[in-house]
């Protein structure tokens, strides 16, 4: 009889028990997942978000201008070293872009004035597509520098591999920056998104009405891209020097990212101190602090959303458990009252089923 009563009671109470267990399981799982999202997962999400950020959003770039030829090499080396230190402990890749001041092409007294400039570009093969000839190589001071030009420049000046172009002495002549002759060895076109917007002519190769501080505009051609060593050996005054440092993030922590962002914010002052009066203008710019701030803002929004889910989930779970408890209490109260009236002892009340029918009550009484 007892076994039959236990079986019947378990069958009746099982749906309610299963519902309570399901509510507790779902609630505990929800709280566990939210706890992970608010702790370790947030740090991991910040790290992954920064690693997947586009390179321009992480780069730090130093812009310099007005550098005498005698200081060009040391300025470039010191700037590259400082940019690497700024983004430490992350490994960095430095890319430099250098442009000389304008030099006259042909007769400097002719009207309209015709000017040109030299440039050196790190990673040129990754920033341009060669259409004719080959890329320039360092002359090692054994002969005229080799140069490549844009298609527009080649078309305007009727240049092709083997052509020689004489760029006159700088105006005004500074530190003996004499005329330089280059040998054209190739023609190229720019690739999109490769930084040619920072070229003095924006990568167009030719400007028929360039304003260079004189009352009348000039026709400007360029760049004549040579090896960096040849550019410095030419004695040219550097009009623009740009060093872009790209960090290679590998499992960055929140503390490391904060330290680097703080270092970037103070890089401009450190660069000014390092370079002193060797340059007329210097500035360091980077979107890395902004990228980190945006990532943290997104992190804060996610945290707020998760907290709302935790509160709602906790409230719903508590309400469901409270309702289940009241249902159990109500069922047990009516059952207890009924069976107590039939003369059941305390130990017998534990094993009787919830839905005793009239026949069941009769069986119990007879027992």
């Amino acid at each position: 009889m007892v076994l039959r009563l236990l079986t019947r009671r378990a069958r009746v109470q099982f749906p309610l028990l299963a519902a309570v267990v399901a509510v507790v399981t779902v609630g505990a799982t929800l709280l566990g997942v939210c706890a992970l999202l608010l702790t370790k997962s947030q740090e991991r999400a910040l790290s992954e978000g920064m690693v997947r950020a586009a390179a321009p959003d992480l780069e730090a770039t130093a812009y310099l201008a007005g550098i005498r030829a005698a200081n060009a090499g040391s300025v470039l080396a010191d700037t590259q070293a400082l940019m690497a230190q700024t983004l430490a402990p992350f490994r960095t890749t430095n890319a430099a872009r250098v442009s000389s001041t304008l030099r006259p092409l042909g007769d400097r007294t002719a009207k309209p004035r015709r000017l040109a400039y030299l440039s050196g570009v790190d990673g040129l093969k990754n920033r341009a597509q060669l259409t004719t000839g080959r890329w320039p190589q360092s002359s090692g001071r054994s002969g005229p520098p080799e140069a490549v030009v844009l298609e527009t420049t080649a078309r305007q000046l009727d240049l092709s591999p083997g052509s020689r172009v004489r760029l006159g002495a700088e105006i005004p002549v500074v530190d003996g920056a004499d005329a330089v002759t280059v040998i054209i060895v190739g023609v190229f076109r720019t690739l999109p998104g490769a930084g040619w917007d920072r070229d003095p002519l924006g990568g167009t190769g030719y400007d028929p009405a360039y304003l260079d501080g004189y009352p009348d505009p000039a026709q400007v051609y360029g760049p004549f891209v040579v090896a960096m060593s040849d550019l410095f050996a030419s004695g040219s005054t550097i009009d623009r020097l740009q060093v872009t440092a790209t960090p290679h993030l590998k499992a960055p922590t929140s503390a490391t990212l904060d330290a680097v962002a703080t270092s970037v914010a103070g890089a401009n002052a450190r660069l000014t101190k390092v370079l002193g009066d060797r340059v007329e203008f210097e500035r360091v710019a980077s979107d890395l602090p902004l990228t980190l701030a945006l990532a943290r803002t997104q992190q804060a929004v996610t945290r707020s959303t998760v907290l709302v889910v935790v509160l709602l989930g906790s409230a719903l779970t508590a309400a469901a458990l409270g309702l289940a408890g009241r249902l159990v209490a109500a069922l047990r109260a009516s059952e207890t009252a009924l069976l107590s009236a039939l003369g059941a002892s305390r130990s017998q009340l534990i094993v009787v089923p919830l839905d005793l029918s009239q026949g069941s009550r009769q069986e119990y009484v007879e027992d």
Side-chain angles (χ1 to χ4, degrees), residues 26-76:
V26 172
T29 301
L30 177 62
L31 291 177
V33 171
C34 291
L36 286 176
L37 291 176
L38 292 174
T39 53
K40 292 184 178 180
S41 294
Q42 284 232 333
E43 180 74 14
R44 180 66 180 274
L46 178 64
S47 174
E48 289 295 323
M50 293 299 292
V51 169
R52 296 178 182 179
D57 295 332
L58 302 175
E59 295 172 346
T61 302
Y63 301 93
L64 301 94
I67 308 168
R68 290 191 172 187
N71 298 326
S74 63
V75 166
L76 176 59

Side-chain angles (χ1 to χ4, degrees), residues 5 9 35 53 126 178 323 327:
L5 291 176
R9 182 172 187 175
N126 299 323
D178 297 328
L323 178 60
L327 289 175

Side-chain angles (χ1 to χ4, degrees), residues 134-139 144-148 182-185 225-227 230:
R134 59 176 176 83
W135 298 111
Q137 298 178 355
S138 176
S139 65
E146 297 180 348
V148 291
V182 298
I183 300 176
I184 306 301
V185 296
V225 183
V226 299
D230 287 339

Side-chain angles (χ1 to χ4, degrees), residues 56-235:
D57 295 332
L58 302 175
E59 295 172 346
T61 302
Y63 301 93
L64 301 94
I67 308 168
R68 290 191 172 187
N71 298 326
S74 63
V75 166
L76 176 59
D78 291 345
T79 302
Q80 290 176 328
L82 185 138
M83 298 305 290
Q85 294 171 5
T86 297
L87 297 176
F90 301 120
R91 183 176 62 86
T92 60
T93 299
N94 287 330
R97 180 187 293 272
V98 185
S99 297
S100 73
T101 57
L102 296 173
R103 292 170 174 264
L105 279 176
D107 185 2
R108 67 177 57 191
T109 63
K111 298 294 182 179
R113 294 177 298 119
R114 301 171 71 215
L115 306 174
Y117 60 97
L118 300 172
S119 284
V121 180
D122 282 341
L124 179 61
K125 297 179 182 179
N126 299 323
R127 302 175 183 274
Q129 180 182 0
L130 196 66
T131 58
T132 305
R134 59 176 176 83
W135 298 111
Q137 298 178 355
S138 176
S139 65
R141 301 193 180 187
S142 60
E146 297 180 348
V148 291
V149 294
L150 285 162
E151 291 177 317
T152 306
T153 306
R155 185 167 55 253
Q156 290 291 331
L157 297 177
D158 193 22
L159 301 177
S160 61
S163 300
R164 288 176 175 260
V165 179
R166 184 179 184 276
L167 283 71
E170 293 179 354
I171 305 175
V173 177
V174 179
D175 293 340
D178 297 328
V180 59
T181 299
V182 298
I183 300 176
I184 306 301
V185 296
V187 179
F188 70 95
R189 63 168 62 103
T190 62
L191 293 178
W196 291 100
D197 56 314
R198 298 168 184 172
D199 176 75
L201 295 184
T204 60
Y206 170 65
D207 188 340
Y210 186 85
L211 296 176
D212 60 341
Y214 284 81
D216 57 317
Q219 296 177 353
V220 177
Y221 305 84
F224 288 79
V225 183
V226 299
M228 198 74 72
S229 59
D230 287 339
L231 176 57
F232 291 154
S234 69

